Amino acid sequence: MKLLLATAALGILLFSPELARACSCAGTPSVCGAFALTEAVFVGTVTRVENQIAKGQGGYEHIVGQVAYVQVDEPFKGVKTPQLIFRSYGSSCDVRYKEGQRWLFYASYNKKDKAWTIGGCGRSALLQYTGDDLLYLRGLPASAERTRIAGALKIRDEKPLMGVKVKLIGESETYEVFTDKNGVYEAYDLPAGKYVVEPEIPLNLKLRNASISFGAGRGRLSVELKDKSCACIDFYFTENTMISGRVLSPDGQPMRDVCVRLLPKDKPKERSFLLGCTAPDGRFKIEEITLGEYYLVANDDDVISSNEPFPLTYYPGVFEKEKATVLNIASGDKLQDFDIHIPSQRPTRTVEGRLLFSDGRPAEGETVEFTADEKPGQVSDVARAKADAEGRFKLSVLEGSKGTLHGYLYTVERDTPNCPQVDKLVKAYKDIQTNRVKLELNRDHQDIELLFTVPFCANKKEERE
């Protein structure tokens, strides 16, 4: 049995960042499947781009299509001229070409437009993400006559993981390969059959997800090889890092529904996806943090609201960035008890009461919402709470707010065939709401009663429990 190691690949959903952000795909074909089904396959350089511009509301200009002229550098299939013309139509699944880019194209010809196109969910990609494909393509025609399992191991920032063991567990034998400097593993000439692909987890990392090519099998981490076929599973890892703590009010009380974010020190104005919002006990947790230096902040959009009645606040509890503590996240860090103490906040008022069905049963777990009246140039303030087992709810709302309080439940989440009144609303996709109460928050409000228009009706799931 001859096992070969390969060069870099990214494949599947993350084949091209430009497409993956906008286009939702269930997966892509394997390299051998894409080669067999596509009219032309080649490496090419974008030499010229003509943008088609349209004006939207307010005179805003945006690209609605492109014509790209591509020089053929390395043909593999179906290419008969040194230059091809590509069209892109401006949809969420269309690529945005730039001069000087080098691509691996799996292209189809559009006779109507007399131009070539690539699919948003195909294997076409910028050349730096196609090492796996290039190994197969440059090995043709011999590679098409052999079984093959391959893929890439990457960390979230696209850094390849070198020297990681990958097991290919067959029905009667297990094979081992290692990733090369570009993070790719590859195995040829495996016996036909089912295989579980199992990568070793690198130190201080954790597996985030895996992507499997079409037609490779039904298991998330398994493939089925037939004679002269290939399959691909790419694995994406993240840092196994974490920070946790609480958000505490000026009087030391836990604050719920406050969103905490890590902002990169070198780009503090750039919003990060590293976000955690507080539970009823004021606790938050942020995981899978890329290594680096950060500010830990609460209310990063700096909009004072009922949930966040304070301006942007930096850890450990200051409004000024210059006084903030910079946190250095290193490999494997699990930082705990990093509490943010809010220095001061706008005064709030309490709204309390009960949420009930029309038959008087408590509406446990359903939602109560206060929505402040909109003011010109301001974001509408909204506060929400869940009713407890007795139907009781409690909200904190900015003092001086004027608005409306009501309860609601999502019918789409309910399965109530034995309750015609409720089921009618479920089938019509209409949420069930209570009476509405107008409030002015210049004092606390207690003993408010909100009643749904329908009686209690258990979901099938609730009945089974």
Side-chain angles (χ1 to χ4, degrees), residues 198-219:
E198 185 179 282
E200 185 178 70
I201 306 299
L203 181 66
N204 292 332
L205 297 182
K206 66 179 182 179
L207 180 64
R208 183 175 179 82
N209 58 55
S211 294
I212 186 169
S213 59
F214 282 157
R218 295 185 178 182

Side-chain angles (χ1 to χ4, degrees), residues 172-245:
S172 59
E173 190 172 351
T174 295
Y175 307 88
E176 293 182 354
V177 292
F178 290 83
T179 57
D180 70 357
K181 65 179 181 180
N182 295 308
V184 173
Y185 68 94
E186 181 187 47
Y188 274 110
D189 301 327
L190 297 169
K194 296 179 180 179
Y195 291 86
V196 173
V197 182
E198 185 179 282
E200 185 178 70
I201 306 299
L203 181 66
N204 292 332
L205 297 182
K206 66 179 182 179
L207 180 64
R208 183 175 179 82
N209 58 55
S211 294
I212 186 169
S213 59
F214 282 157
R218 295 185 178 182
R220 182 168 178 265
L221 301 180
S222 65
V223 297
E224 184 172 357
L225 279 182
K226 296 181 181 179
D227 188 37
K228 299 181 182 179
S229 72
C230 70
C232 173
I233 302 183
D234 294 329
F235 296 91
Y236 305 104
F237 294 82
T238 61
E239 295 286 350
N240 192 15
T241 48
M242 181 271 289
I243 185 169
S244 64

Side-chain angles (χ1 to χ4, degrees), residues 60 118 227 423:
Y60 172 74
I118 59 176
D227 188 37
D423 200 46

Side-chain angles (χ1 to χ4, degrees), residues 167-380:
K167 293 182 179 180
L168 310 174
I169 305 170
E171 297 172 81
S172 59
E173 190 172 351
T174 295
Y175 307 88
E176 293 182 354
V177 292
F178 290 83
T179 57
D180 70 357
K181 65 179 181 180
N182 295 308
V184 173
Y185 68 94
E186 181 187 47
Y188 274 110
D189 301 327
L190 297 169
K194 296 179 180 179
Y195 291 86
V196 173
V197 182
E198 185 179 282
E200 185 178 70
I201 306 299
L203 181 66
N204 292 332
L205 297 182
K206 66 179 182 179
L207 180 64
R208 183 175 179 82
N209 58 55
S211 294
I212 186 169
S213 59
F214 282 157
R218 295 185 178 182
R220 182 168 178 265
L221 301 180
S222 65
V223 297
E224 184 172 357
L225 279 182
K226 296 181 181 179
D227 188 37
K228 299 181 182 179
S229 72
C230 70
C232 173
I233 302 183
D234 294 329
F235 296 91
Y236 305 104
F237 294 82
T238 61
E239 295 286 350
N240 192 15
T241 48
M242 181 271 289
I243 185 169
S244 64
R246 295 179 299 167
V247 177
L248 302 173
S249 67
D251 59 359
Q253 297 302 308
M255 301 185 71
R256 65 180 298 168
D257 297 328
V258 174
C259 289
V260 176
R261 192 182 294 270
L262 284 169
L263 300 179
K265 179 177 178 290
D266 57 344
K267 296 180 181 178
K269 294 183 179 181
E270 182 178 293
R271 296 191 74 182
S272 161
F273 289 107
L274 301 172
L275 174 71
C277 297
T278 56
D281 62 359
R283 295 191 178 277
F284 68 87
K285 180 166 66 173
I286 302 174
E287 300 179 285
E288 300 178 1
I289 307 165
T290 302
L291 309 186
E293 294 184 315
Y294 295 89
Y295 294 107
L296 179 65
V297 303
N299 189 14
D300 71 298
D301 59 8
D302 205 17
V303 175
I304 293 176
S305 65
S306 294
N307 288 334
E308 299 174 331
F310 52 86
L312 185 153
T313 303
Y314 294 85
Y315 172 83
V318 295
F319 294 139
E320 304 85 1
K321 185 178 72 173
E322 295 74 19
K323 297 180 181 179
T325 299
V326 176
L327 303 179
N328 183 29
I329 306 297
S331 181
D333 274 352
K334 301 287 195 304
L335 307 181
Q336 300 180 28
D337 300 324
F338 278 71
D339 297 345
I340 300 176
H341 298 263
I342 305 303
S344 63
Q345 67 177 55
R346 286 263 302 273
T348 60
R349 291 293 185 175
T350 300
V351 178
E352 297 180 79
R354 296 189 73 197
L355 180 64
L356 306 170
F357 288 101
S358 62
D359 58 2
R361 292 277 296 272
E364 180 182 2
E366 306 301 347
T367 303
V368 174
E369 177 180 289
F370 173 84
T371 303
D373 298 337
E374 290 191 28
K375 298 179 181 179
Q378 294 187 4
V379 178
S380 179

Side-chain angles (χ1 to χ4, degrees), residues 93-112:
C93 285
D94 275 302
V95 68
R96 184 71 61 84
Y97 292 110
K98 296 179 182 179
E99 291 184 7
Q101 288 178 334
R102 297 194 74 206
W103 284 76
L104 173 59
F105 290 93
Y106 290 85
S108 299
Y109 188 69
N110 186 320
K111 294 181 180 179
K112 180 180 177 181

